[in-house]
Amino acid sequence: MKKFVSIALFICATIAGYAREYEPTEGWPYMFQDFKPAIVYYNDGKAESANINVHLIKNDLHFTDNDKIMLAHDGNKIDSVVCEDQTVLIRRGNLYVTLLHKTDYVVIGTTCQCDFNALNDGSGAYGSPTTTASTQNVASFNDHGNMAALRYKEMTQNKYNTRTLPTINRTVMVVNDRAICQANKRGVNELLTSDQKKAFNKYIKENKIKWKDINSLILVAKFLDEYIKADELLL
């Protein structure tokens, strides 16, 4: 983690009840209800300000340029995004992870991705049929190289005129800035050796780990920290 770390440490320990009231739609397939003022940090240390949102079809960062919605072409060079409202995103692999908490070597966060299986199963939200128009609305995002053809005002006016976009929301851990695993027993075990798994199972019982509780996840992260400090975690 780079420049956002000092900011991130002040955030999120109290977000155990993290919930999303806003739901993206096929007409507005974005992580946030609107574009947010933010500072985008790059892997080379450079930073720039922009109004951003994350497009959930391809997990791309978009920004507004006057009334145009544009694609950040250098998305693979982005390290993190710190929004004005203190939302912190880190980019690892092809995912933007919303930060909940950070220990020395582990980031706990959430991811939101389009559920393509549900999108293409032929049924809409709550059993309603999928219309050709709404499906094409989503597919059209793949047709624009720089998104310049998309108009911000037009999209905001139509954002609720289509069905809810099905999404997959997960709690994850970014471990030692390398591996991403789901924040559950199976996900963490995939990072451990046989002996480490035995120690981890004992640790789970002793600390009464509850996988949906942020304080329990912080304890799991600290367990992983100790192995990383000793250079004993094989990633």
Side-chain angles (χ1 to χ4, degrees), residues 13-37:
T14 60
I15 314 183
Y18 180 82
R20 181 194 303 271
E21 294 182 4
Y22 153 74
E23 290 185 329
T25 65
E26 292 185 349
W28 186 264
Y30 284 104
M31 181 179 289
F32 304 126
Q33 190 166 3
D34 205 347
F35 281 71
K36 297 185 176 188

Side-chain angles (χ1 to χ4, degrees), residues 130-202:
T130 302
T131 64
T132 301
S134 65
T135 303
Q136 289 176 342
N137 197 356
V138 175
S140 68
F141 282 94
N142 298 325
D143 298 332
H144 303 288
N146 63 3
M147 311 306 293
L150 298 178
R151 297 289 180 176
Y152 173 76
K153 289 182 179 179
E154 292 176 6
M155 286 195 66
T156 54
Q157 290 170 357
N158 295 320
K159 67 167 67 174
Y160 299 121
N161 291 340
T162 52
R163 68 168 184 160
T164 299
L165 183 75
T167 58
I168 299 172
N169 298 280
R170 294 189 175 101
T171 304
V172 300
M173 291 183 171
V174 182
V175 183
N176 204 21
D177 216 13
R178 299 177 190 173
I180 299 179
C181 70
Q182 290 196 50
N184 55 36
K185 183 178 179 180
R186 181 177 179 179
V188 174
N189 270 327
E190 290 177 352
L191 306 176
L192 305 176
T193 65
S194 296
D195 289 340
Q196 290 168 351
K197 288 178 184 178
K198 293 178 182 178
F200 184 49
N201 287 333
K202 181 180 178 181

